[in-house]
Amino acid sequence: MTIDWLVTILGAIAIVLAIKAWVVNPYRIPSSSMEPTLHCARPDNGCEARFSDRVLACRFCYRLWSPKRGDIVVFKTPPLAKQRCGAGGTFVKRLIGLPGDLWEERAGYVYINGKKLDEPYVQPNRRDARTIKAIKIAPDHYFMMGDNRSSSCDSRAWGSVPKQNLIGKVFATYWPPSRVTIR
């Protein structure tokens, strides 16, 4: 009887760990860089909500199809992020530039290959006024930016993200209950 319970519990733990490692994993939004698309919790600077959004990322999706511009992605930051932002590890940002794109920012607006990018997810009061000359994105690299441009430490500060650093595509918000969405 005790062995049956032990095997059942260990089996359940193994299944949960396997799902988290290869299928789907939850993440919490800790900063205001993706406001108002994804909320972080007050009283942190720039946060709009009482509770941080919790999201689910598909860990196998980018093995089946290529990342797309506009995807919200969980990824491991390049080492320079820790130096330039004071934080590193795992970030959640929007994928803006694809491999081979020519990315630039003019007065806070993004241009891809010379054409202004339509970004309905960036609110006017959250746009900054930066101008950054054109950057060619390397093969197998992606340019990430937060939707709250004025409060986002992103690829503009630490460069593009190699494909092997992509953890997964955010496909759902599951907490708090009033914010549940499928993307």
Side-chain angles (χ1 to χ4, degrees):
M1 183 71 138
T2 304
I3 290 179
D4 284 345
W5 276 103
L6 188 60
V7 168
T8 301
I9 291 169
L10 290 175
I13 290 170
I15 289 169
V16 167
L17 292 175
I19 288 171
K20 284 185 65 161
W22 295 300
V23 181
V24 67
N25 201 33
Y27 295 90
R28 182 182 68 83
I29 306 305
S31 79
S32 66
S33 72
M34 286 299 291
E35 288 281 1
T37 307
L38 298 173
H39 289 316
C40 59
R42 286 185 298 257
D44 282 355
N45 191 24
C47 297
E48 293 185 2
R50 274 188 29 211
F51 301 102
S52 292
D53 283 353
R54 305 283 205 267
V55 298
L56 295 174
C58 175
R59 294 182 64 98
F60 66 89
C61 289
Y62 292 144
R63 289 190 197 115
L64 301 177
W65 61 79
S66 296
K68 293 176 182 45
R69 187 180 336 279
D71 285 356
I72 298 174
V73 180
V74 177
F75 58 95
K76 288 182 229 145
T77 59
L80 201 50
K82 182 126 177 104
Q83 263 182 311
R84 301 257 171 100
C85 305
T90 303
F91 279 11
V92 177
K93 305 274 186 205
R94 190 173 298 273
L95 192 159
I96 299 296
L98 299 168
D101 280 349
L102 193 61
W103 173 94
E104 66 182 301
E105 189 172 16
R106 299 182 206 156
Y109 290 89
V110 171
Y111 289 76
I112 300 292
N113 302 321
K115 208 170 143 194
K116 188 176 179 183
L117 185 61
D118 180 30
E119 297 182 290
Y121 40 81
V122 179
Q123 293 183 346
N125 63 327
R126 295 187 181 273
R127 193 174 293 283
D128 60 23
R130 293 185 209 185
T131 295
I132 302 172
K133 66 179 181 145
I135 298 167
K136 177 107 170 153
I137 301 169
D140 289 326
H141 279 70
Y142 297 89
F143 202 88
M144 306 294 186
M145 296 176 76
D147 290 356
N148 185 3
R149 299 290 160 75
S150 59
S151 294
S152 181
C153 189
D154 49 38
S155 285
R156 296 173 293 177
W158 36 258
S160 60
V161 177
K163 186 173 186 174
Q164 70 262 18
N165 286 27
L166 303 185
I167 294 171
K169 178 186 187 314
V170 171
F171 70 91
T173 302
Y174 69 91
W175 185 261
S178 62
R179 302 259 308 151
V180 171
T181 54
I182 302 293
R183 301 181 190 285

